[in-house]
Amino acid sequence: MRIPLSRPDIGEREIEYVTRALKSGQLSMGPRLAEFEQKFAAYAGTRFAVATNSGTSALHLCVRALGIGEGDEVITTSFSFVASTNCLLYERATPVFVDIEPETLSINPEKIREAITRDYAWDRGQRRPINRRTGRTLKAILPVHVFGLPCDMRAIVTIAREFNLYVIEDACEALGATCRGRHVGTFGDTAAFAFYPNKQLTTAEGGMVVTNDPRIGQLCRSLRNQGRDEGSGWLRHDRLGFNYRLSELHCALGLAQLERMDELLVARAHVAAIYSHELAGINSIRLPGKCADTVRSWFVYVIQLRCESAQPIRDLVIAKLRESGVGCQAYFPPIHEQPYLQDASEGVGPFLPLTRAASQSCIALPFFASMTVEQVREVCAALKRVLGEILEDPAPAECGDSPEELSAGSRARRGSLNANGDDFYGLS
């Protein structure tokens, strides 16, 4: 693709740090791992961080560490990448899907409460809700901060405390996002982040568990390393574990990226602001939603088509954009409609109209920190042309600023642009 869907931002610092790690002679379980975990915990605002080889692995360790398994249920969202459900299935727990909010695309706390009061009865012995139909125990809520926008964590934590439930935050798409001034990942019992190449911070492949609970931190550290406890011999395994370790090379890359975190977040917010400016006023699309008292960490820039029978039109738009050399993707197909879940559909939840509507209308446009004004404008021009051909939706009037003015002005203003992408030229 002439303009790819995503591209990692790798500079000389990253190359230098990885090269040092290669030359050190210690490629695994070395000093960079401990340093990366320590500095990441400080950035995230938690006491402990445990590096893993993927965000999926991090989510799995969260579930295992909380003792969630067969006979347990977890309320979550179907509008997500499959890892947020797979981590439950690995432990034979059952996901229970509830619908999302149409503007934010986040799990709806009201639907969580509705599902609990409708489908569960309080068990005094276990001090937890029991599903009236399946007899399984409700153990946790697993909210996903979709596309980097924080969920309503105050409402979710309130429900969890009321019904004695764990909270596992899937923050894999939301590093740097805040809700009421607190970083995502600090609200639940534990949380997971991911460092795939399209994320805000990349280690090529990698993830991180964060928690304030020393027991969870210690257990995840052991499970990550084949069940070894700290201080025990290399061939002593105190529990069944996994090889979810992150190498020194990956940690070196992560350390370099972490030092640039603010710069990377502001750059991504800058790109998002240009998109919002260029696409304002097009009636056939909805731009990314906002939520009060939150700061989004821009993972992707996703628009929604506003038309009847959106899916075939959306798919045609994507096909035509790709023909024009513009990378794009349909985010996300509902997890509960994935083929591998069809035979395990019991308990996964009812028809979810807002989840389905979002999945049929969303388009992820090219998005990365180093994206230029010219590239964004090329994508927007292609999108407007395609929408005009398919929907006869006239393009809005030009916004007025030339690419040169935007480039020069944005460089001068990046220092004051907030991470939510607001206030770019006063446009919000």
Side-chain angles (χ1 to χ4, degrees), residues 51 127 332:
R127 296 186 63 251
F332 286 111

Side-chain angles (χ1 to χ4, degrees), residues 32-94:
R32 290 166 184 83
L33 171 63
E35 183 182 1
F36 185 37
E37 291 176 336
Q38 180 182 7
K39 290 183 175 179
F40 190 91
Y43 178 84
T46 58
R47 292 180 62 193
F48 308 102
V50 181
T52 63
N53 58 5
S54 72
T56 304
S57 300
L59 283 167
H60 184 199
L61 293 187
C62 291
V63 173
R64 171 64 75 93
L66 291 173
I68 296 169
E70 190 168 9
D72 296 332
E73 295 182 347
V74 176
I75 291 178
T76 188
T77 176
S78 183
F79 191 72
S80 174
F81 184 63
V82 294
S84 60
T85 287
N86 289 349
C87 65
L88 304 172
L89 300 178
Y90 295 155
E91 295 299 312
R92 299 185 179 275
T94 301

Side-chain angles (χ1 to χ4, degrees), residues 260-315:
R260 299 178 56 210
M261 200 67 240
D262 290 344
E263 168 200 338
L264 293 171
L265 291 177
V266 168
R268 296 174 82 93
H270 165 68
V271 173
I274 300 172
Y275 262 126
S276 295
H277 181 50
E278 292 293 315
L279 297 177
I282 301 178
N283 294 327
S284 58
I285 63 173
R286 177 184 291 123
L287 302 184
K290 297 182 180 180
C291 185
D293 300 319
T294 66
V295 174
R296 183 196 291 263
S297 174
W298 287 94
F299 164 50
V300 287
Y301 194 91
V302 174
I303 62 170
Q304 291 179 266
L305 291 187
R306 307 172 77 170
C307 58
E308 297 294 329
S309 305
Q311 183 165 348
I313 296 173
R314 188 273 311 276
D315 293 346

Side-chain angles (χ1 to χ4, degrees), residues 241-252:
F242 311 93
N243 183 356
Y244 286 170
R245 296 189 298 266
L246 192 66
S247 80
E248 288 287 283
L249 305 182
H250 293 88
C251 291

Side-chain angles (χ1 to χ4, degrees), residues 137-153:
T137 302
L138 183 62
K139 279 281 187 73
I141 303 170
L142 197 160
V144 181
H145 302 299
V146 175
F147 303 151
L149 183 65
C151 299
D152 186 348
M153 291 309 301

